[in-house]
Amino acid sequence: MFSSVRASSPYQIRRFQRHSSARQRFFLTSFYTKYDSTHFFVNVGMLMLALIPKLPQFHKVRIFGINKY
């Protein structure tokens, strides 16, 4: 994941920190809910909502017309 960020980007470390904080929160919530399947799938969905827009393929892509103007 870290290698997918462009090498010329000056905010490379900050992006990696944002990705890792989302993953850490996912693991913590999974641990504290004792890996209950309902909570696990809700947490996976929320993790995907947090990480997918940050991928390089979604640069300047508007999802559902958010921030269109």
Side-chain angles (χ1 to χ4, degrees):
M1 179 169 52
F2 187 66
S3 61
S4 68
V5 178
R6 291 176 290 151
S8 63
S9 176
Y11 302 108
Q12 186 169 20
I13 299 299
R14 182 53 106 184
R15 285 184 182 180
F16 180 72
Q17 289 171 346
R18 277 190 244 140
H19 286 237
S20 63
S21 68
R23 284 183 275 139
Q24 288 171 353
R25 281 180 283 183
F26 168 73
F27 288 124
L28 280 174
T29 56
S30 296
F31 174 75
Y32 283 119
T33 57
K34 296 181 177 29
Y35 301 101
D36 179 45
S37 61
T38 305
H39 288 106
F40 179 77
F41 289 118
V42 169
N43 287 333
V44 167
M46 293 298 123
L47 180 69
M48 293 300 115
L49 281 174
L51 291 183
I52 287 176
K54 294 179 184 178
L55 293 174
Q57 293 86 355
F58 287 98
H59 182 67
K60 294 187 179 182
V61 173
R62 305 293 184 213
I63 299 175
F64 304 123
I66 298 173
N67 296 331
K68 188 175 182 179
Y69 302 105

